[in-house]
Amino acid sequence: HSCPMVLRIAELTSFGAGASASTHQPNSKFTQQELPACKPILTPKWVISVFLLVGVIFVPIGVASLLASNKVVEIVDRYDDACVPSNVTNKLAYIQNSTISKTCRRTLKVPKDMKQPIFVYYQLNNFYQNHRRYVKSRNDQQLRDASKANETTLCDPEKTRDGMAIVPCGLIAWSTFNDTYTFQHNTNNLSIDKTDISWKSDRDHKFGSDVFPKNFQKGPLIGGKTLNESIPLSEQEDLIVWMRTAALPTFRKLYGRIYVDLKENDTITVTLDNNYNTYSFDGKKSLVLSTSTWLGGKNDFLGLAYLTVGGLCFFLAFAFTLLYLIKPRKLGDNNYLSWNRNSAGH
Amino acid sequence: MYALDPALRVNLLGLSLICHSVVCCRVSPLQKAQVTSLVRKGARKITLSIGDGANDVSMIQAAHVGIGISGQEGMQAVMASDFAIAQFRYLTDLLLVHGRWSYLRLCKVITYFFYKNLTFTLTQFWFTFQTGFSGQRFYDDWFQSLYNVIFTALPVIMVGLFDKDVSASLSKKYPQLYQEGIRNTFFKWKVIAVWGFFAFYQSIVFYYFTAAASQHGHGSSGKILGQWDVSTMAFTCVVVTVNLRLLMSCNSITRWHYFSVAGSIAAWFLFIFIYSAIMTSFDRQENVYFVIYVLMSTFFFYLTLILVPVIALFGDFLYLSLQRWLFPYDYQVVQEMHKDDPHEYSMIRLPERSHLSPEEARSYAISMLPRENSKHTGFAFDSPGYESFFASQQGVCVPHKPWDVARRASMKQQRQQPQRTGRS
């Protein structure tokens, strides 16, 4: 006799509805692995569109960034070797001798018009602010809280002097940069604005307005700047800038701003105090004057990277089009299945 | 026991391996186990044994994979087995569909895990060259600790649960796809080397590109970024890239994938917003204080966040496109062949009649009938009385089972009562 089939059965990938029912499992799409899914396949259409899209987005960004970077005018002047008198043979002894005057005059020529504000940076080479023992040599509690002045953990070797805690302790504070610069522009004195050179969050929260330097740089070896004991740490902007340790051994730090326009071929005379010792470790010191755009200082890298990647994407879109034309493969071609290719078997 | 004598065993094995299939009949349970061990140890292949009765237990335990069928002969085989199924023919699903998917998912999860940790750790390695080899860590401690726990954990779990290269029906239609597992296609050294190479390449991109882009002043304030600003930027790029790379390697993307990827990236931003906004009273260095807010106020952050992940994924994208076009895997060809098929979950379809004989089709239809929770734990199905009642309701013919006929004949007067109202 005929037995009509049971119809209308949805395909199940588990082992029968009965099994789930008997174990009281909810039979949802999640547990049965039947969630709606997008199944992307990298067809030639997709590959070429992605490359073209990336190219179209990246090239304009690259052009904009490169233009911004090219607008920046930068003067870099290395002075650590030029500012030591030529008759000095032992540079280290020279720099450590506090009786000799270290004043040095440098002349800078402005290559292109520079609009204010002009940023004054000092640049150090081969100075490892990212060394492990240097980075950890500070105590953030002591810096922000006047009641924690005796907290000097991790500040070795600059923890205490004569039994009293050093504020601010640590190697980072001890080695603060102490060269100073004054500028003259065509015989006029330029004033440098040294306020707001540090991050505002540092000034407001990390360095206390009631914490004063104490017992600082009183030892036999002076590592850098001495601090005015009547100015609280939150206003010691050079210290704050210095204590934001740099990532790489070549770095710049903001010294101040000049709010004067400079014209091309102007002469700037810099009177600097060459105090900071970079001679014992082959470090270099440079003075940098730079303008700034929406992107920041002079950094061609972003613009070049975007342009390169954008160009490369266009090239690859073209190359892949050639590839798909030269070596065509029908999508879903049966012959590419390995059991059809190697009919000899595995 | 003759052929299994130590002297003759080797010959038996050699002969059996030449044959396509070997039938051993009238074997005792011990002999079943011995034959299985012979193949397992002698031929050094992965063995699978399937059985439904108590006499199969030793054989099930002797093989690598033991499968028990729950049903007519009780639950002993099931309790001794690694996998339990209800009917013999579910073995095809177990092997060709779920076994294959399981292999694919396992390979993907393991290689992805190593890749994401390798790329993250190598960025620190490149940093050491520029710290005077002093061992200064590039990232903050909490970033490193939570990387594997919060920022990159959930998406890979979703892949491990849901990834399918081809659907279940296609897996059964192309059983040769199972060869991928036998040939260990997805876990060869070559595959791992490719992942390792791209982890290496990406780590270089993360470190050097972020460091180069962060030189000199940022924004119109001219202020300089410090080490922790650069490292937070690099870490953001790492988290974004590693999560997007997972999406690139998925064969089927459900909405849970989108949620987990977006959720992981969002979790990172949530974490860093909170972490850099607080200062604790513990004696620790508050290096990352306010870093992200400062970073997000510069154009540098957004430009780098677009540039670095794209460059990092560039190499992978190139490789995947070339590989799929020039050296496609079998499953990729099958995907392309069936890419325009409608999705199964939205279809109501007939069972594949062409594969079933009329008897099989009938028993398939019977097994699809609504079942009640059986009070007899030894029998997951096959209670004859109600089954034949419902079968007749649906118009399906159910032949009486001989043992049931005998049972009913030997029982005292007992009326058959339908235990449930039927569903039509």
Side-chain angles (χ1 to χ4, degrees):
Chain A
H1 37 259
S2 66
C3 302
M5 292 298 146
V6 176
L7 303 182
R8 301 188 71 76
I9 297 166
E11 179 185 275
L12 289 172
T13 58
S14 74
F15 307 127
S20 332
S22 64
T23 54
H24 304 284
Q25 278 256 331
N27 221 3
S28 67
K29 283 200 175 154
F30 187 91
T31 55
Q32 294 298 331
Q33 297 184 48
E34 282 174 352
L35 289 174
C38 142
K39 293 178 210 230
I41 295 183
L42 270 184
T43 53
K45 190 170 63 122
W46 272 105
V47 172
I48 297 179
S49 340
V50 166
F51 279 130
L52 282 179
L53 183 72
V54 172
V56 157
I57 292 180
F58 273 36
V59 166
I61 298 181
V63 167
S65 308
L66 208 52
L67 283 179
S69 178
N70 280 341
K71 266 201 331 218
V72 171
V73 186
E74 200 182 59
I75 310 171
V76 180
D77 175 49
R78 181 181 170 193
Y79 63 83
D80 63 299
D81 47 355
C83 274
V84 175
S86 40
N87 56 0
V88 168
T89 42
N90 189 347
K91 292 191 179 162
L92 183 57
Y94 167 78
I95 201 77
Q96 286 178 332
N97 190 339
S98 51
T99 57
I100 310 177
S101 157
K102 311 273 186 2
T103 315
C104 174
R105 292 184 91 84
R106 305 282 300 158
T107 321
L108 308 173
K109 207 158 159 68
V110 177
K112 279 202 306 212
D113 283 355
M114 293 171 82
K115 293 183 88 70
Q116 57 165 309
I118 300 175
F119 299 91
V120 180
Y121 300 98
Y122 53 89
Q123 177 173 313
L124 283 165
N125 287 40
N126 209 28
F127 189 104
Y128 285 80
Q129 272 206 323
N130 54 17
H131 192 284
R132 185 179 59 85
R133 296 176 70 181
Y134 188 88
V135 170
K136 83 172 166 81
S137 182
R138 65 193 282 163
N139 191 305
D140 283 350
Q141 290 221 305
Q142 187 200 61
L143 293 174
R144 65 173 186 257
D145 198 347
S147 62
K148 299 267 173 42
N150 289 330
E151 290 278 349
T152 55
T153 46
L154 296 180
C155 277
D156 281 311
E158 288 294 315
K159 280 170 102 143
T160 53
R161 175 82 46 211
D162 303 325
M164 289 201 299
I166 301 176
V167 179
C169 72
L171 274 181
I172 311 181
W174 177 80
S175 61
T176 309
F177 193 74
N178 59 357
D179 285 4
T180 53
Y181 313 103
T182 48
F183 296 86
Q184 268 130 11
H185 172 222
N186 294 343
T187 73
N188 300 330
N189 283 338
L190 287 177
S191 63
I192 304 184
D193 179 20
K194 283 181 72 68
T195 59
D196 195 29
I197 53 175
S198 53
W199 293 114
K200 187 163 183 304
S201 53
D202 284 357
R203 286 200 303 274
D204 291 348
H205 299 282
K206 271 179 115 166
F207 291 81
S209 51
D210 53 348
V211 182
F212 293 88
K214 220 177 22 220
N215 214 6
F216 188 69
Q217 298 281 20
K218 296 280 197 305
L221 208 55
I222 298 199
K225 199 175 159 94
T226 41
L227 297 175
N228 186 333
E229 300 210 346
S230 52
I231 303 180
L233 288 191
S234 63
E235 288 167 37
Q236 305 259 19
E237 300 227 24
D238 281 326
L239 175 72
I240 299 177
V241 166
W242 182 255
M243 287 196 79
R244 193 169 197 88
T245 49
L248 297 175
T250 302
F251 60 88
R252 292 182 185 173
K253 290 198 184 286
L254 189 57
Y255 182 80
R257 295 188 189 84
I258 299 176
Y259 289 104
V260 168
D261 287 343
L262 299 178
K263 293 269 173 300
E264 192 175 333
N265 290 328
D266 278 359
T267 320
I268 308 281
T269 316
V270 185
T271 312
L272 61 92
D273 277 337
N274 186 18
N275 295 319
Y276 200 67
N277 176 14
T278 54
Y279 301 97
S280 53
F281 53 85
D282 285 330
K284 299 194 197 127
K285 292 190 284 187
S286 315
L287 177 66
V288 178
L289 276 92
S290 168
T291 53
S292 174
T293 60
W294 57 269
L295 193 53
K298 191 164 193 66
N299 193 340
D300 290 337
F301 178 78
L302 270 181
L304 284 178
Y306 268 98
L307 272 180
T308 313
V309 173
L312 195 61
C313 281
F314 280 127
F315 167 72
L316 279 173
F318 174 67
F320 267 87
T321 318
L322 280 184
L323 175 72
Y324 295 138
L325 290 173
I326 292 175
K327 271 201 118 200
R329 168 171 86 81
K330 188 168 87 70
L331 274 183
D333 190 355
N334 250 326
N335 300 325
Y336 276 82
L337 293 168
S338 59
W339 54 90
N340 288 334
R341 266 184 294 167
N342 310 341
S343 48
H346 316 285
Chain B
M1 298 277 249
Y2 305 111
L4 289 170
D5 266 354
L8 295 174
R9 210 182 284 170
V10 179
N11 293 338
L12 172 67
L13 182 63
L15 179 64
S16 310
L17 289 177
I18 299 172
C19 306
H20 274 268
S21 33
V22 175
V23 177
C24 307
C25 52
R26 303 191 68 78
V27 281
S28 69
L30 178 61
Q31 286 169 322
K32 286 188 190 180
Q34 284 179 326
V35 169
T36 314
S37 312
L38 180 66
V39 175
R40 176 179 174 158
K41 294 188 184 119
R44 279 193 285 274
K45 298 210 184 287
I46 305 290
T47 51
L48 180 152
S49 60
I50 180 166
D52 63 347
N55 60 338
D56 298 318
V57 166
S58 41
M59 172 182 73
I60 286 174
Q61 289 180 330
H64 285 106
V65 182
I67 301 183
I69 303 181
S70 66
Q72 213 156 341
E73 305 219 3
M75 299 295 268
Q76 286 88 347
V78 164
M79 288 190 284
S81 64
D82 302 312
F83 296 93
I85 52 182
Q87 295 185 23
F88 188 92
R89 63 191 173 81
Y90 292 150
L91 187 62
T92 46
D93 273 63
L94 181 63
L95 288 183
L96 298 181
V97 176
H98 294 274
R100 215 176 51 79
W101 283 349
S102 173
Y103 170 71
L104 173 79
R105 289 166 184 168
L106 209 65
C107 292
K108 223 172 245 199
V109 166
I110 293 176
T111 48
Y112 175 77
F113 238 94
F114 276 98
Y115 149 78
K116 78 171 156 92
N117 279 294
L118 196 61
T119 198
F120 166 70
T121 310
L122 278 178
T123 49
Q124 302 232 51
F125 176 72
W126 303 124
F127 184 57
T128 61
F129 288 97
Q130 295 183 304
T131 63
F133 301 101
S134 62
Q136 170 62 30
R137 280 198 284 256
F138 191 42
Y139 302 114
D140 185 79
D141 299 342
W142 281 102
F143 298 177
Q144 287 178 217
S145 310
L146 294 177
Y147 176 71
N148 273 318
V149 175
I150 299 185
F151 307 134
T152 55
L154 207 52
V156 69
I157 295 179
M158 292 297 134
V159 167
L161 290 178
F162 293 123
D163 200 51
K164 290 185 205 173
D165 52 352
V166 293
S167 67
S169 55
L170 288 177
S171 308
K172 286 188 280 196
K173 187 168 173 205
Y174 298 96
Q176 301 94 331
L177 285 177
Y178 190 71
Q179 290 277 343
E180 287 168 351
I182 296 177
R183 275 183 263 138
N184 203 10
T185 336
F186 302 128
F187 208 62
K188 285 196 157 65
W189 278 114
K190 183 170 97 75
V191 170
I192 295 174
V194 167
W195 278 101
F197 170 76
F198 283 115
F200 185 85
Y201 158 80
Q202 287 191 1
S203 69
I204 293 183
V205 167
F206 290 135
Y207 176 67
Y208 284 109
F209 280 43
T210 315
S214 63
Q215 299 278 36
H216 313 316
H218 291 276
S220 36
S221 65
K223 294 178 189 165
I224 304 281
L225 295 178
Q227 180 192 337
W228 305 104
D229 311 294
V230 176
S231 102
T232 307
M233 179 80 244
F235 194 80
T236 310
C237 294
V238 172
V239 168
V240 168
T241 307
V242 154
N243 280 309
L244 291 180
R245 177 68 181 89
L246 185 76
L247 279 185
M248 269 171 68
S249 71
C250 283
N251 282 311
S252 82
I253 305 182
T254 65
R255 72 182 128 101
W256 292 99
H257 288 88
Y258 292 131
F259 288 165
S260 52
V261 164
S264 297
I265 298 179
W268 156 249
F269 277 105
L270 186 66
F271 168 77
I272 190 66
F273 285 153
I274 296 177
Y275 184 59
S276 55
I278 58 173
M279 269 215 211
T280 63
S281 56
F282 301 118
D283 185 13
R284 50 167 262 129
Q285 297 191 339
E286 306 284 352
N287 293 316
V288 184
Y289 181 72
F290 226 72
V291 159
I292 190 67
Y293 301 107
V294 160
L295 270 183
M296 287 183 90
S297 67
T298 61
F299 278 100
F300 152 80
F301 176 79
Y302 303 100
L303 288 183
T304 313
L305 193 57
I306 299 176
L307 178 79
V308 170
V310 167
I311 296 188
L313 293 176
F314 191 81
D316 294 85
F317 186 74
L318 197 59
Y319 173 75
L320 288 175
S321 324
L322 284 174
Q323 180 266 316
R324 182 178 263 273
W325 195 250
L326 298 172
F327 314 104
Y329 286 123
D330 288 330
Y331 77 87
Q332 289 175 325
V333 180
V334 171
Q335 278 177 334
E336 290 167 11
M337 281 161 66
H338 293 270
K339 70 178 161 70
D340 296 320
D341 286 356
H343 293 292
E344 290 101 34
Y345 53 80
S346 59
M347 249 172 68
I348 298 171
R349 278 192 1 209
L350 304 174
E352 289 150 331
R353 293 197 214 181
S354 53
H355 290 230
L356 302 175
S357 69
E359 290 76 32
E360 285 185 59
R362 213 175 335 172
S363 82
Y364 179 79
I366 291 168
S367 67
M368 290 294 124
L369 291 173
R371 297 186 193 124
E372 74 166 330
N373 293 331
S374 174
K375 297 179 199 60
H376 308 284
T377 53
F379 303 93
F381 58 98
D382 254 5
S383 315
Y386 106 97
E387 177 195 275
S388 57
F389 172 79
F390 285 116
S392 57
Q393 293 268 335
Q394 305 270 13
V396 177
C397 281
V398 179
H400 292 297
K401 298 218 169 29
W403 57 266
D404 185 47
V405 173
R407 178 183 70 87
R408 276 182 285 152
S410 66
M411 264 166 47
K412 301 251 177 14
Q413 302 279 324
Q414 206 163 6
R415 281 181 64 78
Q416 300 283 329
Q417 307 237 343
Q419 278 131 326
R420 221 208 239 178
T421 51
R423 273 167 37 185
S424 48

